[in-house]
Amino acid sequence: QVQLVESGGGLVQPGGSLRLSCAASGIMLSTYAMGWYRQVPGKQRELVALIGTGGNTVYADSVKGRFTISRDNAKNTVYLQMNSLKPEDTAVYYCNARNYLTYWGQGTQVTVSS
């Protein structure tokens, strides 16, 4: 059974930082392109960051320079380091694994508020 389990979300003040983790079981993340997406109520899920199997990265314009996606294949885990957080970053963040199959995690809530 494949599972992607996100952790690290929470409440943080504007300007603060969080690091999200996505731990996989049942698949080898090294063979998957990995992504972080986010969704707020009433809006479509949107891409935040992607990292390919070779380590190449893609970021949404809204998070460039603030967020960093990385992967540790030995730990079968993907991370999203989020710095200089803004209230508009508030959302449920989802981990995604994709090759010829696609898997999603259950999501973790990030709330940026003073």
Side-chain angles (χ1 to χ4, degrees):
Q1 183 181 359
V2 176
Q3 279 192 311
L4 299 178
V5 179
E6 299 100 333
S7 61
L11 173 65
V12 63
Q13 291 188 341
S17 298
L18 285 174
R19 188 176 82 153
L20 304 183
S21 299
C22 172
S25 59
I27 57 173
M28 289 180 59
L29 286 191
S30 60
T31 65
Y32 286 76
M34 298 300 300
W36 286 96
Y37 292 72
R38 65 188 181 188
Q39 189 170 23
V40 297
K43 292 191 176 182
Q44 285 191 331
R45 193 170 296 186
E46 64 174 7
L47 173 68
V48 176
L50 286 172
I51 185 165
T53 55
N56 52 303
T57 57
V58 174
Y59 295 94
D61 287 343
S62 59
V63 307
K64 281 181 182 176
R66 300 188 297 123
F67 290 10
T68 303
I69 188 171
S70 61
R71 63 196 303 158
D72 186 335
N73 291 333
K75 294 183 178 180
N76 225 27
T77 301
V78 174
Y79 304 97
L80 185 68
Q81 178 67 44
M82 304 187 295
N83 299 328
S84 302
L85 282 161
K86 304 175 181 180
E88 51 264 42
D89 295 318
T90 296
V92 177
Y93 284 70
Y94 296 90
C95 177
N96 171 271
R98 179 175 300 175
N99 54 22
Y100 61 91
L101 295 172
T102 299
Y103 300 101
W104 290 93
Q106 82 290 348
T108 185
Q109 176 70 47
V110 171
T111 302
V112 184
S113 175
S114 55

